[in-house]
């Protein structure tokens, strides 16, 4: 029979993952290890086991392997983020010293005044609720190092600043340099860097929810390169009907991917829209990669 802590953990985990977690023979040991690692890293913050394990459970992906999701967690970083959101002064001091102090290194060439301003905006974004939503740091899942995650948030803030005040930027200097660092579309590059693995898992799960006919249509068209005319001859259906079938399958795939991403990630509406733009922009490539026989 699971302990009270383990039972609480299971009650907060994604419903689709609970059966697999229940069958995990070493779940109690894994959870105890997570707590031990977190408490050894931050002995001074008074980490509450049940609350922290509930926080961990809520941030597990709804699809994929339970073993991998738990084993790959950056428990120290997740504990730091969790205690910062709960208002621990010592945790916030540690965040400043270990993470936010790297801002100058992340933004070489930026004026010190610009870095200071951005650091203040970053503190607000990470630690303060906005528009009724929890602080940004509450959405950190522990699947990547905290410093990498915060760096992505900082770069996104810098892009937003550039877009909001383009006349203040010297022509041909700051914004093009930043765009070069982030890619042709900074917003999509930011999303790609931050959620590439989430997108892959969500997209694969959405493909699995299509019916056999939908998957076969997409495979024939996108992987094997059959034209609409060839598919019409193969299926003995009018070309216009085949085109509608494929369009409907693609659209259903996008809807299902959105559902998977919504369940998997705690994104703001704007971030979710940006990620879905990325899904659309990479749909053909992703289909070719994941539908190969």
């Amino acid at each position: 029979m699971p302990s009270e802590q383990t039972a609480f953990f299971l009650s907060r985990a994604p419903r689709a993952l609970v059966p697999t977690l229940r069958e995990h023979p070493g779940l109690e040991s894994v959870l105890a290890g997570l707590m031990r690692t977190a408490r050894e890293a931050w002995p001074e913050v008074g980490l509450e086991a049940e609350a922290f394990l509930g926080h961990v459970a809520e941030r597990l992906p709804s699809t994929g392997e339970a073993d991998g999701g738990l084993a790959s967690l950056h428990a120290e970083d997740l504990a730091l983020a969790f205690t910062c959101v709960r208002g621990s002064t010592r945790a916030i001091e540690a965040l400043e010293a270990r993470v936010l102090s790297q801002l100058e290194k992340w933004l070489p060439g930026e004026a010190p005044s610009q870095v200071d301003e951005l650091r203040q905006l970053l503190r607000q974004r990470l630690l303060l609720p906005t528009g009724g939503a929890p602080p940004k740091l509450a959405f950190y899942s522990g699947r990547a190092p905290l410093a990498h995650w915060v760096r992505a948030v900082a770069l996104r803030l810098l892009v937003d600043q550039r877009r909001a005040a383009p006349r203040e930027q010297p022509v041909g200097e700051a914004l093009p340099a930043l765009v070069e660092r982030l890619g042709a579309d900074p917003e999509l590059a930011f999303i790609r860097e931050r959620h590439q693995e989430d997108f892959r898992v969500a997209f694969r799960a959405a493909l699995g929810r299509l019916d056999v006919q939908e998957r076969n249509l997409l495979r024939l068209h996108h992987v094997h390169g059959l034209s609409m005319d060839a598919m019409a001859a193969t299926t003995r259906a009018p070309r216009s009907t085949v085109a509608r079938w494929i369009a409907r399958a693609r659209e259903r795939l996008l809807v299902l991917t959105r559902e998977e991403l919504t369940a998997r990630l705690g994104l703001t509406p704007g971030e979710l829209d940006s990620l879905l733009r990325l899904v659309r922009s990479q749909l053909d490539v992703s289909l070719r990669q994941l539908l190969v026989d």
Side-chain angles (χ1 to χ4, degrees):
M1 183 174 179
S3 67
E4 289 186 10
Q5 286 183 4
T6 302
F8 182 75
F9 174 85
L10 292 170
S11 74
R12 304 293 286 272
R15 185 173 300 176
L17 204 61
V18 170
T20 305
L21 288 169
R22 287 188 186 280
E23 294 174 3
H24 191 312
L27 181 59
E28 299 250 355
S29 177
V30 170
L31 297 182
L34 286 175
M35 282 305 309
R36 183 168 56 253
T37 299
R39 281 175 166 161
E40 287 175 356
W42 312 110
E44 69 276 18
V45 301
L47 193 62
E48 182 186 341
E50 189 171 277
F52 177 60
L53 291 177
H55 185 81
V56 171
E58 289 169 353
R59 279 145 191 82
L60 287 175
S62 58
T63 57
E65 296 294 328
D67 256 351
L70 289 171
S72 63
L73 282 178
H74 295 260
E76 296 180 20
D77 287 350
L78 191 54
L80 178 60
F82 171 71
T83 48
C84 282
V85 171
R86 288 168 72 90
S88 166
T89 301
R90 291 189 176 182
I92 293 171
E93 290 173 352
L95 180 72
E96 289 276 353
R98 299 195 181 197
V99 180
L100 300 186
S101 62
Q102 300 185 56
L103 199 56
E104 286 86 355
K105 182 177 70 176
W106 296 337
L107 304 172
E110 296 293 331
S113 59
Q114 176 70 32
V115 174
D116 288 342
E117 180 182 353
L118 190 66
R119 182 179 285 107
Q120 184 58 33
L121 287 173
L122 188 58
R123 289 190 190 105
Q124 294 173 9
R125 179 65 60 88
L126 293 175
L127 298 169
L128 298 178
T130 304
K136 187 75 172 178
L137 204 54
F139 298 115
Y140 171 64
S141 66
R143 293 194 293 277
L146 181 59
H148 293 181
W149 187 87
V150 172
R151 176 181 176 273
V153 176
L155 289 174
R156 175 63 181 273
L157 283 173
L158 189 57
V159 169
D160 289 346
Q161 281 187 318
R162 295 283 192 265
R163 287 176 170 169
R167 294 182 182 178
E168 298 178 8
Q169 307 304 321
V171 176
E173 291 182 12
L175 184 55
L178 185 60
V179 168
E180 184 178 352
R181 284 158 58 193
L182 293 180
D185 187 327
E187 186 174 14
L188 290 185
F190 162 81
I191 294 292
R192 185 182 297 110
E193 177 181 350
R194 181 180 172 193
H195 293 301
Q196 187 173 25
E197 179 63 15
D198 294 303
F199 163 69
R200 186 189 66 79
V201 173
F203 193 78
R204 188 181 293 277
L207 274 173
R209 293 171 62 186
L210 295 178
D211 62 37
V212 174
Q213 182 181 17
E214 290 170 326
R215 282 198 301 275
N216 285 340
L217 285 168
L218 294 175
R219 181 180 290 109
L220 289 170
H221 185 57
H222 291 280
V223 178
H224 300 297
L226 267 66
S227 67
M228 294 293 180
D229 290 328
M231 292 183 65
T234 300
T235 60
R236 298 183 180 180
R239 186 183 188 281
S240 59
T241 300
V242 172
R244 284 198 301 273
W245 286 346
I246 293 176
R248 191 179 302 129
R250 286 168 61 96
E251 194 57 38
R252 180 163 142 76
L253 177 60
L254 290 169
V255 169
L256 294 175
T257 302
R258 181 188 181 103
E259 290 179 4
E260 292 291 335
L261 288 168
T262 300
R264 181 178 175 83
L265 304 171
L267 296 178
T268 65
E271 288 172 329
L272 183 57
D273 288 342
S274 294
L275 187 51
L276 290 168
R277 283 203 295 123
L278 176 59
V279 171
R280 285 186 179 276
S281 72
Q282 295 190 336
L283 183 59
D284 291 349
V285 173
S286 300
L287 282 168
R288 284 195 295 271
Q289 291 175 343
L290 296 178
L291 280 172
V292 173
D293 291 328

mmCIF file with all atom_site columns, all heavy atoms in Angstrom, residues 121-143:
data_model
loop_
_atom_site.group_PDB
_atom_site.id
_atom_site.type_symbol
_atom_site.label_atom_id
_atom_site.label_alt_id
_atom_site.label_comp_id
_atom_site.label_asym_id
_atom_site.label_entity_id
_atom_site.label_seq_id
_atom_site.pdbx_PDB_ins_code
_atom_site.Cartn_x
_atom_site.Cartn_y
_atom_site.Cartn_z
_atom_site.occupancy
_atom_site.B_iso_or_equiv
_atom_site.pdbx_formal_charge
_atom_site.auth_seq_id
_atom_site.auth_comp_id
_atom_site.auth_asym_id
_atom_site.auth_atom_id
_atom_site.pdbx_PDB_model_num
ATOM 1   N N   . LEU A 1 121 ? 12.807 43.504 -15.009 1.00 0.00 ? 121 LEU A N   1
ATOM 2   C CA  . LEU A 1 121 ? 11.634 42.946 -15.686 1.00 0.00 ? 121 LEU A CA  1
ATOM 3   C C   . LEU A 1 121 ? 11.570 41.435 -15.520 1.00 0.00 ? 121 LEU A C   1
ATOM 4   O O   . LEU A 1 121 ? 10.493 40.859 -15.333 1.00 0.00 ? 121 LEU A O   1
ATOM 5   C CB  . LEU A 1 121 ? 11.684 43.294 -17.178 1.00 0.00 ? 121 LEU A CB  1
ATOM 6   C CG  . LEU A 1 121 ? 11.391 44.737 -17.568 1.00 0.00 ? 121 LEU A CG  1
ATOM 7   C CD1 . LEU A 1 121 ? 11.644 44.946 -19.057 1.00 0.00 ? 121 LEU A CD1 1
ATOM 8   C CD2 . LEU A 1 121 ? 9.953  45.110 -17.217 1.00 0.00 ? 121 LEU A CD2 1
ATOM 9   N N   . LEU A 1 122 ? 12.745 40.812 -15.579 1.00 0.00 ? 122 LEU A N   1
ATOM 10  C CA  . LEU A 1 122 ? 12.810 39.357 -15.437 1.00 0.00 ? 122 LEU A CA  1
ATOM 11  C C   . LEU A 1 122 ? 12.375 38.934 -14.041 1.00 0.00 ? 122 LEU A C   1
ATOM 12  O O   . LEU A 1 122 ? 11.640 37.954 -13.878 1.00 0.00 ? 122 LEU A O   1
ATOM 13  C CB  . LEU A 1 122 ? 14.229 38.882 -15.731 1.00 0.00 ? 122 LEU A CB  1
ATOM 14  C CG  . LEU A 1 122 ? 14.477 37.377 -15.816 1.00 0.00 ? 122 LEU A CG  1
ATOM 15  C CD1 . LEU A 1 122 ? 13.599 36.729 -16.875 1.00 0.00 ? 122 LEU A CD1 1
ATOM 16  C CD2 . LEU A 1 122 ? 15.951 37.108 -16.115 1.00 0.00 ? 122 LEU A CD2 1
ATOM 17  N N   . ARG A 1 123 ? 12.818 39.655 -13.022 1.00 0.00 ? 123 ARG A N   1
ATOM 18  C CA  . ARG A 1 123 ? 12.381 39.352 -11.648 1.00 0.00 ? 123 ARG A CA  1
ATOM 19  C C   . ARG A 1 123 ? 10.854 39.419 -11.556 1.00 0.00 ? 123 ARG A C   1
ATOM 20  O O   . ARG A 1 123 ? 10.211 38.550 -10.962 1.00 0.00 ? 123 ARG A O   1
ATOM 21  C CB  . ARG A 1 123 ? 12.982 40.353 -10.667 1.00 0.00 ? 123 ARG A CB  1
ATOM 22  C CG  . ARG A 1 123 ? 14.469 40.216 -10.416 1.00 0.00 ? 123 ARG A CG  1
ATOM 23  C CD  . ARG A 1 123 ? 14.876 41.105 -9.256  1.00 0.00 ? 123 ARG A CD  1
ATOM 24  N NE  . ARG A 1 123 ? 16.311 41.197 -9.115  1.00 0.00 ? 123 ARG A NE  1
ATOM 25  C CZ  . ARG A 1 123 ? 17.048 42.250 -9.463  1.00 0.00 ? 123 ARG A CZ  1
ATOM 26  N NH1 . ARG A 1 123 ? 16.459 43.321 -9.969  1.00 0.00 ? 123 ARG A NH1 1
ATOM 27  N NH2 . ARG A 1 123 ? 18.351 42.235 -9.302  1.00 0.00 ? 123 ARG A NH2 1
ATOM 28  N N   . GLN A 1 124 ? 10.285 40.488 -12.111 1.00 0.00 ? 124 GLN A N   1
ATOM 29  C CA  . GLN A 1 124 ? 8.835  40.648 -12.053 1.00 0.00 ? 124 GLN A CA  1
ATOM 30  C C   . GLN A 1 124 ? 8.126  39.507 -12.770 1.00 0.00 ? 124 GLN A C   1
ATOM 31  O O   . GLN A 1 124 ? 7.150  38.947 -12.266 1.00 0.00 ? 124 GLN A O   1
ATOM 32  C CB  . GLN A 1 124 ? 8.437  41.991 -12.669 1.00 0.00 ? 124 GLN A CB  1
ATOM 33  C CG  . GLN A 1 124 ? 8.926  43.197 -11.896 1.00 0.00 ? 124 GLN A CG  1
ATOM 34  C CD  . GLN A 1 124 ? 8.656  44.502 -12.621 1.00 0.00 ? 124 GLN A CD  1
ATOM 35  O OE1 . GLN A 1 124 ? 7.966  44.540 -13.624 1.00 0.00 ? 124 GLN A OE1 1
ATOM 36  N NE2 . GLN A 1 124 ? 9.206  45.596 -12.110 1.00 0.00 ? 124 GLN A NE2 1
ATOM 37  N N   . ARG A 1 125 ? 8.623  39.167 -13.965 1.00 0.00 ? 125 ARG A N   1
ATOM 38  C CA  . ARG A 1 125 ? 7.985  38.114 -14.747 1.00 0.00 ? 125 ARG A CA  1
ATOM 39  C C   . ARG A 1 125 ? 8.064  36.759 -14.036 1.00 0.00 ? 125 ARG A C   1
ATOM 40  O O   . ARG A 1 125 ? 7.118  35.973 -14.046 1.00 0.00 ? 125 ARG A O   1
ATOM 41  C CB  . ARG A 1 125 ? 8.649  38.022 -16.124 1.00 0.00 ? 125 ARG A CB  1
ATOM 42  C CG  . ARG A 1 125 ? 8.091  36.951 -17.044 1.00 0.00 ? 125 ARG A CG  1
ATOM 43  C CD  . ARG A 1 125 ? 6.646  37.233 -17.433 1.00 0.00 ? 125 ARG A CD  1
ATOM 44  N NE  . ARG A 1 125 ? 6.510  38.474 -18.120 1.00 0.00 ? 125 ARG A NE  1
ATOM 45  C CZ  . ARG A 1 125 ? 6.625  38.658 -19.442 1.00 0.00 ? 125 ARG A CZ  1
ATOM 46  N NH1 . ARG A 1 125 ? 6.906  37.618 -20.210 1.00 0.00 ? 125 ARG A NH1 1
ATOM 47  N NH2 . ARG A 1 125 ? 6.456  39.825 -19.986 1.00 0.00 ? 125 ARG A NH2 1
ATOM 48  N N   . LEU A 1 126 ? 9.199  36.487 -13.420 1.00 0.00 ? 126 LEU A N   1
ATOM 49  C CA  . LEU A 1 126 ? 9.398  35.180 -12.792 1.00 0.00 ? 126 LEU A CA  1
ATOM 50  C C   . LEU A 1 126 ? 8.667  35.039 -11.466 1.00 0.00 ? 126 LEU A C   1
ATOM 51  O O   . LEU A 1 126 ? 8.193  33.952 -11.133 1.00 0.00 ? 126 LEU A O   1
ATOM 52  C CB  . LEU A 1 126 ? 10.889 34.935 -12.561 1.00 0.00 ? 126 LEU A CB  1
ATOM 53  C CG  . LEU A 1 126 ? 11.774 34.763 -13.800 1.00 0.00 ? 126 LEU A CG  1
ATOM 54  C CD1 . LEU A 1 126 ? 13.242 34.657 -13.379 1.00 0.00 ? 126 LEU A CD1 1
ATOM 55  C CD2 . LEU A 1 126 ? 11.365 33.546 -14.612 1.00 0.00 ? 126 LEU A CD2 1
ATOM 56  N N   . LEU A 1 127 ? 8.574  36.132 -10.702 1.00 0.00 ? 127 LEU A N   1
ATOM 57  C CA  . LEU A 1 127 ? 8.171  36.012 -9.300  1.00 0.00 ? 127 LEU A CA  1
ATOM 58  C C   . LEU A 1 127 ? 6.818  36.619 -8.964  1.00 0.00 ? 127 LEU A C   1
ATOM 59  O O   . LEU A 1 127 ? 6.290  36.360 -7.877  1.00 0.00 ? 127 LEU A O   1
ATOM 60  C CB  . LEU A 1 127 ? 9.241  36.662 -8.403  1.00 0.00 ? 127 LEU A CB  1
ATOM 61  C CG  . LEU A 1 127 ? 10.630 36.005 -8.474  1.00 0.00 ? 127 LEU A CG  1
ATOM 62  C CD1 . LEU A 1 127 ? 11.656 36.878 -7.764  1.00 0.00 ? 127 LEU A CD1 1
ATOM 63  C CD2 . LEU A 1 127 ? 10.595 34.616 -7.859  1.00 0.00 ? 127 LEU A CD2 1
ATOM 64  N N   . LEU A 1 128 ? 6.243  37.424 -9.854  1.00 0.00 ? 128 LEU A N   1
ATOM 65  C CA  . LEU A 1 128 ? 4.984  38.097 -9.535  1.00 0.00 ? 128 LEU A CA  1
ATOM 66  C C   . LEU A 1 128 ? 3.851  37.597 -10.421 1.00 0.00 ? 128 LEU A C   1
ATOM 67  O O   . LEU A 1 128 ? 4.056  37.376 -11.623 1.00 0.00 ? 128 LEU A O   1
ATOM 68  C CB  . LEU A 1 128 ? 5.129  39.615 -9.715  1.00 0.00 ? 128 LEU A CB  1
ATOM 69  C CG  . LEU A 1 128 ? 6.156  40.309 -8.813  1.00 0.00 ? 128 LEU A CG  1
ATOM 70  C CD1 . LEU A 1 128 ? 6.210  41.798 -9.140  1.00 0.00 ? 128 LEU A CD1 1
ATOM 71  C CD2 . LEU A 1 128 ? 5.817  40.104 -7.342  1.00 0.00 ? 128 LEU A CD2 1
ATOM 72  N N   . PRO A 1 129 ? 2.652  37.421 -9.852  1.00 0.00 ? 129 PRO A N   1
ATOM 73  C CA  . PRO A 1 129 ? 1.499  37.041 -10.677 1.00 0.00 ? 129 PRO A CA  1
ATOM 74  C C   . PRO A 1 129 ? 1.186  38.144 -11.688 1.00 0.00 ? 129 PRO A C   1
ATOM 75  O O   . PRO A 1 129 ? 1.427  39.329 -11.420 1.00 0.00 ? 129 PRO A O   1
ATOM 76  C CB  . PRO A 1 129 ? 0.360  36.882 -9.655  1.00 0.00 ? 129 PRO A CB  1
ATOM 77  C CG  . PRO A 1 129 ? 1.031  36.786 -8.325  1.00 0.00 ? 129 PRO A CG  1
ATOM 78  C CD  . PRO A 1 129 ? 2.301  37.566 -8.427  1.00 0.00 ? 129 PRO A CD  1
ATOM 79  N N   . THR A 1 130 ? 0.643  37.752 -12.840 1.00 0.00 ? 130 THR A N   1
ATOM 80  C CA  . THR A 1 130 ? 0.293  38.715 -13.879 1.00 0.00 ? 130 THR A CA  1
ATOM 81  C C   . THR A 1 130 ? -1.096 38.417 -14.411 1.00 0.00 ? 130 THR A C   1
ATOM 82  O O   . THR A 1 130 ? -1.357 37.296 -14.874 1.00 0.00 ? 130 THR A O   1
ATOM 83  C CB  . THR A 1 130 ? 1.298  38.653 -15.049 1.00 0.00 ? 130 THR A CB  1
ATOM 84  O OG1 . THR A 1 130 ? 2.619  38.866 -14.553 1.00 0.00 ? 130 THR A OG1 1
ATOM 85  C CG2 . THR A 1 130 ? 0.989  39.728 -16.094 1.00 0.00 ? 130 THR A CG2 1
ATOM 86  N N   . GLY A 1 131 ? -1.977 39.400 -14.331 1.00 0.00 ? 131 GLY A N   1
ATOM 87  C CA  . GLY A 1 131 ? -3.314 39.233 -14.899 1.00 0.00 ? 131 GLY A CA  1
ATOM 88  C C   . GLY A 1 131 ? -4.072 38.051 -14.343 1.00 0.00 ? 131 GLY A C   1
ATOM 89  O O   . GLY A 1 131 ? -4.801 37.374 -15.075 1.00 0.00 ? 131 GLY A O   1
ATOM 90  N N   . GLY A 1 132 ? -3.880 37.749 -13.066 1.00 0.00 ? 132 GLY A N   1
ATOM 91  C CA  . GLY A 1 132 ? -4.557 36.609 -12.454 1.00 0.00 ? 132 GLY A CA  1
ATOM 92  C C   . GLY A 1 132 ? -3.850 35.284 -12.656 1.00 0.00 ? 132 GLY A C   1
ATOM 93  O O   . GLY A 1 132 ? -4.245 34.278 -12.066 1.00 0.00 ? 132 GLY A O   1
ATOM 94  N N   . ALA A 1 133 ? -2.800 35.261 -13.488 1.00 0.00 ? 133 ALA A N   1
ATOM 95  C CA  . ALA A 1 133 ? -2.030 34.032 -13.718 1.00 0.00 ? 133 ALA A CA  1
ATOM 96  C C   . ALA A 1 133 ? -0.912 33.931 -12.694 1.00 0.00 ? 133 ALA A C   1
ATOM 97  O O   . ALA A 1 133 ? -0.413 34.951 -12.197 1.00 0.00 ? 133 ALA A O   1
ATOM 98  C CB  . ALA A 1 133 ? -1.446 34.028 -15.131 1.00 0.00 ? 133 ALA A CB  1
ATOM 99  N N   . PRO A 1 134 ? -0.486 32.714 -12.348 1.00 0.00 ? 134 PRO A N   1
ATOM 100 C CA  . PRO A 1 134 ? 0.615  32.549 -11.394 1.00 0.00 ? 134 PRO A CA  1
ATOM 101 C C   . PRO A 1 134 ? 1.907  33.139 -11.944 1.00 0.00 ? 134 PRO A C   1
ATOM 102 O O   . PRO A 1 134 ? 2.022  33.407 -13.149 1.00 0.00 ? 134 PRO A O   1
ATOM 103 C CB  . PRO A 1 134 ? 0.731  31.023 -11.244 1.00 0.00 ? 134 PRO A CB  1
ATOM 104 C CG  . PRO A 1 134 ? -0.539 30.472 -11.770 1.00 0.00 ? 134 PRO A CG  1
ATOM 105 C CD  . PRO A 1 134 ? -1.025 31.428 -12.807 1.00 0.00 ? 134 PRO A CD  1
ATOM 106 N N   . PRO A 1 135 ? 2.912  33.335 -11.099 1.00 0.00 ? 135 PRO A N   1
ATOM 107 C CA  . PRO A 1 135 ? 4.220  33.785 -11.590 1.00 0.00 ? 135 PRO A CA  1
ATOM 108 C C   . PRO A 1 135 ? 4.764  32.823 -12.638 1.00 0.00 ? 135 PRO A C   1
ATOM 109 O O   . PRO A 1 135 ? 4.490  31.626 -12.608 1.00 0.00 ? 135 PRO A O   1
ATOM 110 C CB  . PRO A 1 135 ? 5.099  33.777 -10.327 1.00 0.00 ? 135 PRO A CB  1
ATOM 111 C CG  . PRO A 1 135 ? 4.149  33.851 -9.185  1.00 0.00 ? 135 PRO A CG  1
ATOM 112 C CD  . PRO A 1 135 ? 2.902  33.151 -9.632  1.00 0.00 ? 135 PRO A CD  1
ATOM 113 N N   . LYS A 1 136 ? 5.534  33.368 -13.556 1.00 0.00 ? 136 LYS A N   1
ATOM 114 C CA  . LYS A 1 136 ? 6.079  32.543 -14.647 1.00 0.00 ? 136 LYS A CA  1
ATOM 115 C C   . LYS A 1 136 ? 6.870  31.351 -14.111 1.00 0.00 ? 136 LYS A C   1
ATOM 116 O O   . LYS A 1 136 ? 6.847  30.260 -14.686 1.00 0.00 ? 136 LYS A O   1
ATOM 117 C CB  . LYS A 1 136 ? 6.988  33.419 -15.511 1.00 0.00 ? 136 LYS A CB  1
ATOM 118 C CG  . LYS A 1 136 ? 7.499  32.754 -16.771 1.00 0.00 ? 136 LYS A CG  1
ATOM 119 C CD  . LYS A 1 136 ? 6.407  32.674 -17.792 1.00 0.00 ? 136 LYS A CD  1
ATOM 120 C CE  . LYS A 1 136 ? 6.948  32.181 -19.122 1.00 0.00 ? 136 LYS A CE  1
ATOM 121 N NZ  . LYS A 1 136 ? 5.867  32.046 -20.113 1.00 0.00 ? 136 LYS A NZ  1
ATOM 122 N N   . LEU A 1 137 ? 7.572  31.545 -13.004 1.00 0.00 ? 137 LEU A N   1
ATOM 123 C CA  . LEU A 1 137 ? 8.420  30.490 -12.452 1.00 0.00 ? 137 LEU A CA  1
ATOM 124 C C   . LEU A 1 137 ? 7.597  29.278 -12.020 1.00 0.00 ? 137 LEU A C   1
ATOM 125 O O   . LEU A 1 137 ? 8.126  28.167 -11.936 1.00 0.00 ? 137 LEU A O   1
ATOM 126 C CB  . LEU A 1 137 ? 9.214  31.045 -11.271 1.00 0.00 ? 137 LEU A CB  1
ATOM 127 C CG  . LEU A 1 137 ? 10.524 30.339 -10.898 1.00 0.00 ? 137 LEU A CG  1
ATOM 128 C CD1 . LEU A 1 137 ? 11.459 30.235 -12.089 1.00 0.00 ? 137 LEU A CD1 1
ATOM 129 C CD2 . LEU A 1 137 ? 11.204 31.090 -9.756  1.00 0.00 ? 137 LEU A CD2 1
ATOM 130 N N   . ALA A 1 138 ? 6.299  29.486 -11.765 1.00 0.00 ? 138 ALA A N   1
ATOM 131 C CA  . ALA A 1 138 ? 5.437  28.369 -11.372 1.00 0.00 ? 138 ALA A CA  1
ATOM 132 C C   . ALA A 1 138 ? 5.272  27.356 -12.500 1.00 0.00 ? 138 ALA A C   1
ATOM 133 O O   . ALA A 1 138 ? 4.914  26.204 -12.258 1.00 0.00 ? 138 ALA A O   1
ATOM 134 C CB  . ALA A 1 138 ? 4.068  28.893 -10.945 1.00 0.00 ? 138 ALA A CB  1
ATOM 135 N N   . PHE A 1 139 ? 5.550  27.760 -13.740 1.00 0.00 ? 139 PHE A N   1
ATOM 136 C CA  . PHE A 1 139 ? 5.374  26.866 -14.885 1.00 0.00 ? 139 PHE A CA  1
ATOM 137 C C   . PHE A 1 139 ? 6.642  26.089 -15.218 1.00 0.00 ? 139 PHE A C   1
ATOM 138 O O   . PHE A 1 139 ? 6.627  25.254 -16.124 1.00 0.00 ? 139 PHE A O   1
ATOM 139 C CB  . PHE A 1 139 ? 4.927  27.658 -16.114 1.00 0.00 ? 139 PHE A CB  1
ATOM 140 C CG  . PHE A 1 139 ? 3.590  28.335 -15.924 1.00 0.00 ? 139 PHE A CG  1
ATOM 141 C CD1 . PHE A 1 139 ? 3.485  29.716 -15.916 1.00 0.00 ? 139 PHE A CD1 1
ATOM 142 C CD2 . PHE A 1 139 ? 2.442  27.579 -15.737 1.00 0.00 ? 139 PHE A CD2 1
ATOM 143 C CE1 . PHE A 1 139 ? 2.257  30.334 -15.736 1.00 0.00 ? 139 PHE A CE1 1
ATOM 144 C CE2 . PHE A 1 139 ? 1.210  28.186 -15.565 1.00 0.00 ? 139 PHE A CE2 1
ATOM 145 C CZ  . PHE A 1 139 ? 1.113  29.568 -15.557 1.00 0.00 ? 139 PHE A CZ  1
ATOM 146 N N   . TYR A 1 140 ? 7.740  26.372 -14.523 1.00 0.00 ? 140 TYR A N   1
ATOM 147 C CA  . TYR A 1 140 ? 8.970  25.618 -14.772 1.00 0.00 ? 140 TYR A CA  1
ATOM 148 C C   . TYR A 1 140 ? 8.741  24.164 -14.368 1.00 0.00 ? 140 TYR A C   1
ATOM 149 O O   . TYR A 1 140 ? 8.295  23.878 -13.264 1.00 0.00 ? 140 TYR A O   1
ATOM 150 C CB  . TYR A 1 140 ? 10.121 26.222 -13.972 1.00 0.00 ? 140 TYR A CB  1
ATOM 151 C CG  . TYR A 1 140 ? 11.383 25.394 -13.992 1.00 0.00 ? 140 TYR A CG  1
ATOM 152 C CD1 . TYR A 1 140 ? 12.076 25.180 -15.172 1.00 0.00 ? 140 TYR A CD1 1
ATOM 153 C CD2 . TYR A 1 140 ? 11.870 24.815 -12.820 1.00 0.00 ? 140 TYR A CD2 1
ATOM 154 C CE1 . TYR A 1 140 ? 13.230 24.409 -15.198 1.00 0.00 ? 140 TYR A CE1 1
ATOM 155 C CE2 . TYR A 1 140 ? 13.034 24.053 -12.833 1.00 0.00 ? 140 TYR A CE2 1
ATOM 156 C CZ  . TYR A 1 140 ? 13.700 23.847 -14.019 1.00 0.00 ? 140 TYR A CZ  1
ATOM 157 O OH  . TYR A 1 140 ? 14.840 23.082 -14.042 1.00 0.00 ? 140 TYR A OH  1
ATOM 158 N N   . SER A 1 141 ? 9.059  23.230 -15.282 1.00 0.00 ? 141 SER A N   1
ATOM 159 C CA  . SER A 1 141 ? 8.718  21.817 -15.067 1.00 0.00 ? 141 SER A CA  1
ATOM 160 C C   . SER A 1 141 ? 9.883  20.970 -14.592 1.00 0.00 ? 141 SER A C   1
ATOM 161 O O   . SER A 1 141 ? 9.692  19.810 -14.243 1.00 0.00 ? 141 SER A O   1
ATOM 162 C CB  . SER A 1 141 ? 8.182  21.217 -16.375 1.00 0.00 ? 141 SER A CB  1
ATOM 163 O OG  . SER A 1 141 ? 9.209  21.188 -17.359 1.00 0.00 ? 141 SER A OG  1
ATOM 164 N N   . GLY A 1 142 ? 11.108 21.522 -14.632 1.00 0.00 ? 142 GLY A N   1
ATOM 165 C CA  . GLY A 1 142 ? 12.264 20.741 -14.198 1.00 0.00 ? 142 GLY A CA  1
ATOM 166 C C   . GLY A 1 142 ? 12.822 19.834 -15.273 1.00 0.00 ? 142 GLY A C   1
ATOM 167 O O   . GLY A 1 142 ? 13.740 19.059 -15.004 1.00 0.00 ? 142 GLY A O   1
ATOM 168 N N   . ARG A 1 143 ? 12.299 19.894 -16.505 1.00 0.00 ? 143 ARG A N   1
ATOM 169 C CA  . ARG A 1 143 ? 12.791 19.003 -17.554 1.00 0.00 ? 143 ARG A CA  1
ATOM 170 C C   . ARG A 1 143 ? 14.051 19.544 -18.236 1.00 0.00 ? 143 ARG A C   1
ATOM 171 O O   . ARG A 1 143 ? 14.677 18.835 -19.017 1.00 0.00 ? 143 ARG A O   1
ATOM 172 C CB  . ARG A 1 143 ? 11.694 18.743 -18.588 1.00 0.00 ? 143 ARG A CB  1
ATOM 173 C CG  . ARG A 1 143 ? 10.517 17.945 -18.029 1.00 0.00 ? 143 ARG A CG  1
ATOM 174 C CD  . ARG A 1 143 ? 9.627  17.414 -19.132 1.00 0.00 ? 143 ARG A CD  1
ATOM 175 N NE  . ARG A 1 143 ? 8.942  18.454 -19.856 1.00 0.00 ? 143 ARG A NE  1
ATOM 176 C CZ  . ARG A 1 143 ? 7.813  19.022 -19.449 1.00 0.00 ? 143 ARG A CZ  1
ATOM 177 N NH1 . ARG A 1 143 ? 7.273  18.673 -18.288 1.00 0.00 ? 143 ARG A NH1 1
ATOM 178 N NH2 . ARG A 1 143 ? 7.224  19.947 -20.163 1.00 0.00 ? 143 ARG A NH2 1
#
